[in-house]
């Protein structure tokens, strides 16, 4: 079942804008994180292990070669791409270093823009100005801010190293530069219940964000949470529960907001739990079916 019939997906948004298929390609700029190098903390967020979404051999390759390798894997023809700087904090470096990384990606004629994954406490004005320059040049630019939850108690519990106010401030400054912001939210964080998910959704929507990325909590090898899970102190969401909560949030999201992701997966053996996250299509299919039955994105708002 086709998800973009019921959700304003990034793929649908980009096809409308560019008149053809545009796909994200993840690249690694060899960045680190202030929550790992001691600037604000050590050990990183308790859920984090970058190997869950980056191939080790990819980290050693120049950006252009990474793009070529990913395109060769996909074997697509006549489509365009967004270079997605995903791993760790992709604005955590000197501006000229960042410019060099981003320019390597944009030097590929098939790359029409950038998605920059980062933390809300790592977006200085100089970086925002540079990203705005690319947008002025006609590039598609998305600033993806990992906030994960709007609840400060949870942010502290997962060792995030910032509060929700940091996200609000970063979004306000990004808007001053005319940049689109995508907020990352994780469902299933320790101590959170469905009411927390809805509160987080409403809190990020109140900041007039342009995009949302949802995914369930993954327990991955090498993370702090892995120890808690292995000791039986952490439970993960079932697929059914995640689908129910994701559909509820999507139906309470205005139709103009772009969903970059409504589920996610990790590769074994890095993934420890939940097992259903090995195949993202299982949840995506169920989400599409449930939206078809209950109503598409934004439909719950129309009844209020």
């Amino acid at each position: 079942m086709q998800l973009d019939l019921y959700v304003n997906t990034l793929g649908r948004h980009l096809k409308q804008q560019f008149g053809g298929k545009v796909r994200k390609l993840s690249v690694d700029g060899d960045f680190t994180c202030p929550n790992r190098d001691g600037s604000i903390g050590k050990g990183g967020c308790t859920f984090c292990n970058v190997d869950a979404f980056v191939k080790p051999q990819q980290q050693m390759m120049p950006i252009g070669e990474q793009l070529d390798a990913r395109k060769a894997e996909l074997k697509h023809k006549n489509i365009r791409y967004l270079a997605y700087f995903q791993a760790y904090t992709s604005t955590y470096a000197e501006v000229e270093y960042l410019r060099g990384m981003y320019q390597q990606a944009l030097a590929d004629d098939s790359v029409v823009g950038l998605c920059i994954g980062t933390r809300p406490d790592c977006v200085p004005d100089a970086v925002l100005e540079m990203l705005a320059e690319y947008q002025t040049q006609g590039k598609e630019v998305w600033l993806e801010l990992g906030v994960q939850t709007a609840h400060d108690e949870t942010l502290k519990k997962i060792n995030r190293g910032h509060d929700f106010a940091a996200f609000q401030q970063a979004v306000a400054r990004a808007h001053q530069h005319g940049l689109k912001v995508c907020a990352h939210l994780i469902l299933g964080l320790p101590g959170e219940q469905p009411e927390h998910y809805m509160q987080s959704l409403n809190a990020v929507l109140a900041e007039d964000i342009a995009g949302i990325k949802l995914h369930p909590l993954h327990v991955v090898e090498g993370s702090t949470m892995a120890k808690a899970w292995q000791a039986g102190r952490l439970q993960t969401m079932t697929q059914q529960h995640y689908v129910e909560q994701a559909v509820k949030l999507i139906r309470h999201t205005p139709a103009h907001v772009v969903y970059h992701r409504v589920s996610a997966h990790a590769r074994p053996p890095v993934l420890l739990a939940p097992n259903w996250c090995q195949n993202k299509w299982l949840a995506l299919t169920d989400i599409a079916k449930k939206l078809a039955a209950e109503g598409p994105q934004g439909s719950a708002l129309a009844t209020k």
Side-chain angles (χ1 to χ4, degrees):
M1 186 167 286
Q2 197 169 342
L3 184 68
D4 60 11
L5 292 175
Y6 313 103
V7 181
N8 185 18
T9 63
L10 180 64
R12 187 172 92 178
H13 167 78
L14 292 173
K15 188 173 183 179
Q16 290 170 346
Q17 184 166 336
F18 289 95
K21 189 170 184 179
V22 180
R23 178 166 182 158
K24 271 186 175 181
L25 289 181
S26 295
V27 293
D28 185 351
D30 195 26
F31 298 102
T32 183
C33 173
N35 204 16
R36 286 181 172 270
D37 68 6
S39 297
I40 63 171
K42 293 185 177 180
C45 303
T46 59
F47 58 80
C48 185
N49 179 353
V50 75
D51 290 338
F53 45 82
V54 173
K55 296 180 181 179
Q57 64 269 27
Q58 179 179 324
Q59 295 173 298
M60 306 300 294
M61 300 166 62
I63 298 299
E65 291 182 18
Q66 291 184 43
L67 289 169
D68 289 341
R70 291 299 315 283
K71 286 189 285 186
E73 289 175 4
L74 297 172
K75 299 178 181 178
H76 289 311
K77 293 183 178 180
N78 302 318
I79 74 169
R80 287 164 285 187
Y81 303 94
L82 299 180
Y84 179 22
F85 286 83
Q86 180 179 19
Y88 290 134
T89 305
S90 297
T91 58
Y92 188 50
E94 295 295 327
V95 172
E96 289 311 308
Y97 177 85
L98 297 175
R99 189 183 298 275
M101 290 290 102
Y102 303 159
Q103 284 295 146
Q104 287 182 55
L106 292 172
D108 186 318
D109 290 339
S110 66
V111 174
V112 296
L114 302 169
C115 291
I116 308 298
T118 189
R119 295 166 54 91
D121 55 352
C122 288
V123 283
D125 285 335
V127 172
L128 297 176
E129 290 170 6
M130 177 177 57
L131 295 177
E133 288 176 18
Y134 293 133
Q135 191 164 264
T136 301
Q137 295 166 11
K139 304 300 182 183
E140 177 80 3
V141 177
W142 283 90
L143 180 66
E144 299 196 18
L145 297 180
V147 61
Q148 321 310 352
T149 175
H151 299 278
D152 286 345
E153 182 179 350
T154 306
L155 290 170
K156 185 176 182 180
K157 187 182 297 183
I158 64 176
N159 195 39
R160 187 66 187 164
H162 64 75
D163 56 13
F164 186 67
F167 170 79
Q168 294 171 306
Q169 293 160 8
V171 173
R173 291 190 297 108
H175 285 167
Q176 290 173 0
H177 290 83
L179 293 169
K180 299 188 294 292
V181 175
C182 173
H184 293 202
L185 294 175
I186 297 177
L187 307 190
L189 289 170
E192 294 208 345
Q193 300 298 326
E195 60 267 27
H196 294 96
Y197 313 152
M198 185 60 67
Q199 289 163 3
S200 290
L201 174 71
N202 289 332
V204 298
L205 289 173
E207 302 305 315
D208 196 25
I209 57 167
I212 293 177
K213 180 177 284 187
L214 283 185
H215 66 84
L217 175 67
H218 293 161
V219 179
V220 293
E221 185 68 54
S223 67
T224 302
M225 277 188 185
K227 298 176 182 178
W229 178 80
Q230 289 163 339
R233 300 194 304 271
L234 177 66
Q235 300 296 317
T236 56
M237 300 179 81
T238 65
Q239 180 178 322
Q240 179 181 0
H241 184 49
Y242 178 74
V243 168
E244 290 173 353
Q245 298 307 313
V247 166
K248 183 178 179 181
L249 297 187
I250 292 167
R251 295 188 64 238
H252 282 83
T253 302
H256 69 271
V257 175
V258 178
Y259 267 92
H260 288 227
R261 178 187 291 166
V262 298
S263 188
H265 74 291
R267 300 184 302 271
V270 175
L271 177 70
L272 298 179
N275 286 334
W276 59 268
C277 286
Q278 293 183 34
N279 185 345
K280 68 179 180 180
W281 297 109
L282 297 176
L284 291 178
T285 299
D286 284 353
I287 288 171
K289 288 179 179 178
K290 196 168 181 63
L291 288 169
E294 297 184 7
Q297 180 176 334
S299 57
L301 299 175
T303 64
K304 292 185 176 180

